[in-house]
Amino acid sequence: MIPAAFDYVRATSADEAISLIGEHGEDAKFLAGGHSLLPLMKLRLAQPSVLVDIGRVSDLSYIRDAGDHIAIGALTRHMDVERSPLLAEHVPLLAHAAGHVGDPQVRHRGTLGGTIAHADPASDLPATTLALGATYVAQGPNGTREIAAADFYQGFLESALAADEMLTEIRVPKMGGAGWSFQKFNRRAQDWAIVGVAAWRRNGDSGVALVNMGSTPILASSVSGALAQGASIADAAQLAAAEAEPQSDLNASPEYRVHLAKVLVRRALEQASA
Amino acid sequence: MTDLQDRPAAVLGSRLLRREDPALLTGEAKYTNDLNVPGALHLVVVRSPYAHARITSVDVSAALDVPGVVAAYSGADLATVWAAPMPCAWPVTADMKNPAHYPLAVGKAAYVGDGVACVLATSDTAARDAAELIDVQYEPLEAVVDLEDALSDRVVIHDDLGTNKSYQWDLKIEGEPGQVDAAFAAAAYTVSERYVQQRLIPVAMEPRAVCAVPQPFGGDITMYSSTQVPHILKVMSALTLGIPEHQLRVVCPSVGGGFGSKLNVYAEELLCLALARKHGVPVRWNETRSENHVATIQGRGQIQHIELAADADGKLTAVRVRLLADMGAYLQLVTPGIPLLGAFLYAGVYDLPLAYDFSCTSVFTTLTPTDAYRGAGRPEATYAIERAMDALADTMGIDPMELRQRNFIRKEQFPYTAMTGLVYDSGDHEAAASKAAELADYAGVRARQAAQNVPGAKKVVGIGQASYFEMCGLAPSRVLASLNYSAGGWEAATVRVLPTNKIQVVTGTAPHGQGHETSWSMIVAEKLGVSPDDVDVLHSDTAIAPLGLDTYGSRSLPVGGVAIAMACDKVIDKAKKIAAHQLEADEADLEFAAGTFSVKGTPDRSLPLAAIAFEAFTAHNLPDGMEPNLEAHTTYDPPNFSWPFGTHICTVEVDTETGHVEVLQYVAVDDCGVQVNPLIVEGQVHGGVIQGLAQALFEEAVYDSDGNLKSGTLAEYLVPAASDVPSLTLGHTVTPSPTNQLGVKGIGEAGTIGAAPAVINAIVDALSHLGVRDMPMPASPHTVWNAINAAQHTTNGASK
């Protein structure tokens, strides 16, 4: 398949990227790893008139200890997230989940910022960072702002980013030894999850988010609420789909997805509590 | 001679690395789309977005305005180009309905993907952009997707036929009239099962590609194509276009897999040929992966009803089969014959009396045509009998392996004349089954199952078996005649000893991944006492290998390979005459071993083949009347099919909460007679098993009620990757075929035939304590979960 015709410009810094995207208007799109955008373009489901390639903005690829959180540059590749000793120590859930994105080719090219900005509810890392209570940093023509992950996802492939804003950093709180689990249920290793669960638990606190259970990544607040009030894991897991609005596709009906979410949340919490 | 001393002790049976692989693995191999053909025009086909629609108008004018576009045509524009409709070579009955089928549809489109117009441009991208501008007006009609609905003729697809039924084909064999009915009436046990063989998309790694190149003078034309069947394609294309056959040459560069999907004559091949002649320049076409899903044939597509009758011991007394087969929108090259390739195998590996009642009804639907896909009719048949045997064992309350043991055709019964009249050349099912049971630790898994599959268990274990016979090595020409197939089943070979004792082999087989160059060189090396490295194998070019019937149906080794061995014998016979002449010995006193003729009892009086080859070339001193050169040709028509067999055993663990199936172990014990190269045999079994396992667990061409393919990309059509399938435990037994001098049988399809029923039997076995009796394919987690819920609902309802 061949995409519709488009123009291509390359940015060498975040500032230049934002200026280029402003210059080219609404139909311009950032190109990072290209593993979400290019397939849509090849199917002509996306037809941007200009691609602003930010793949060589090297100062946005980093993983740093920032005290109470780890700061990750938006252009950090999944493989670097997966293999980061810093993340393994402080946010092992994210490092582990990054190892389940797509296949090795995708993980070497795809970026953490790209998958979050794309806001696909079926992708693993938007839900994972949501469960972890991450904060995203966006840069626009008038400077930077912070957006809580819980406020970021607004609809199917829609985020709180303005057209002339670029995601530059992901700030993930350190997990402080919390138990955790990532459950990805799919038919082939390389596929999107039919249903996925990212969960952590530490004493009365917990975070649980669902992959592919609605038009956005879903924060399963009812589960965390029940656990905080002392509910058993089995009872809390029954509330797994309280915030979800699952869709039907070739792999699953909404009823099956709801069932899977309950089973997987229970398993995730059991693992996180072990 | 040093040449001979360097030769491995035994070439045949050694694990020689494939000589094909370095080029394939380093990207050196050239496929059709890699050919650099200056001045070629690029063809793009405009395809119907409707499953069933009248074409009310086609306006190509906007396409013609695109820079680079040379021409654009509707189906009507090209209607006079064809001397005949597209070929179907297998009119299985005299009254079979076969709708006229042209490379571009005229008047009506009959499936999503049916070609309705085309564009020629100087670049592929220009042609694709222009294709989007061709304005085709349709009047949509109701789609026909369901086979039983098709049979009702509620909506008739091909107006002139007046019905959607293509044919009914019956095979009833009874020792005495009424025996089948009587057997069912008298049976201690009967089962009646319905199975669905879902449609599968073959997904060869290389999509199709064609390039037709007119030669500068005289009207000759060369067609490069990614096909399994250059010889058949040449004959059929010449007839369809009205080109003198001798002016058409078909060449296959490297071909990246076929699995039966390239055993065909396709619209795009005919369009490239016709337009290359019309425009006097090369025309090429390259299939996109999305096109491959709709415009290349699909496999399977059957609803099977099978009934077994058995006596009190479980011995089969009769088998009754009713098939409903999906032809798709049109009959492609061998579409109607595919279900019938299984017609003889619904009694499987069992000793059935003369009580067999088979009937196949075939219908048209508004879907992509079906045709051969790895196993072609035989996996479907084996699935039905092997699933039904498990159902019978369940009904009787005995272990399915025990039931099979009671019914196996015994080793001492071979060669075995089956109730169909076909003779099974050799076999030993007990040996294969017991070896498989040992490798799978059948008793151990049963013990584990008894402990683990308790009420409420979230992980349960199951073990499933499938034993098969495969009718392959297509085929004795007279048998094909009795099935109304329009061609024979022979294969041709030439073996030519060059003056320097290098060997050229010309074969009519057309490899597309099987490793023929390696295997054929090994056969020649063994026969003539040379190194395999000294044997060159020429193939897949009708100018170099003018005679042949190509590669499909696990025929290449038991027919084509045997033909090569026979040609080697002729070479040896002639060489022996020269040796006798030069050694002044009687032919009867000469023996040939390790590439040298010597006088029995006088080993110092000897002459190596290398010397004889040079003598034959110079012709200075040959026996009176002998023609120069050392070369022989054979055309071999096999006296029988070859009958590989085996037992596969699959062990699964099912997560009853999610429906997820994990294959814990997969054991395949296959017997393909003598193995020329065990490495290649194992490769064939690996690929075959994974393809069968893919049908059982992953793959399905899913259509909506409007005839749209929902699994239109590889994101929805789930071809498993290496990470999604188990490592296989392979074993084998060796029961040589008595019908050919090499003792060989085919192995290309065997794995696929055994795998699907073994996997599904294992899943049903794992869930039988929950009341699950059957499992549709593919057994996706959702499907398994649904089946568990339905069974528990039924069980709970029954207990109230």
Side-chain angles (χ1 to χ4, degrees), chain A residues 159-180:
Chain A
S159 75
L161 288 172
D164 57 357
E165 275 185 319
M166 184 171 128
L167 186 63
T168 54
E169 186 174 280
I170 295 90
R171 295 176 180 167
V172 192
K174 291 182 178 176
M175 292 174 65
W180 56 274

Side-chain angles (χ1 to χ4, degrees), chain B residues 274-361:
Chain B
L275 295 173
R277 294 178 80 219
K278 190 179 176 83
H279 289 266
V281 293
V283 172
R284 70 191 310 164
W285 174 80
N286 192 42
E287 188 178 50
T288 65
R289 182 56 70 187
S290 305
E291 280 181 299
N292 181 261
H293 279 230
V294 295
T296 290
I297 63 93
Q298 297 179 357
R300 316 283 188 257
Q302 294 181 359
I303 297 173
Q304 307 170 299
H305 291 269
I306 181 168
E307 294 172 82
L308 306 183
D311 67 17
D313 295 328
K315 276 282 290 170
L316 294 179
T317 55
V319 174
R320 189 187 282 138
V321 177
R322 295 291 177 269
L323 273 196
L324 188 53
D326 185 353
M327 303 284 96
Y330 304 102
L331 302 182
Q332 282 277 349
L333 188 66
V334 291
T335 302
I338 299 306
L340 308 188
L341 282 172
F344 306 91
L345 293 177
Y346 278 85
V349 296
Y350 308 115
D351 188 16
L352 184 73
L354 296 175
Y356 187 69
D357 179 6
F358 173 94
S359 179
C360 175
T361 299

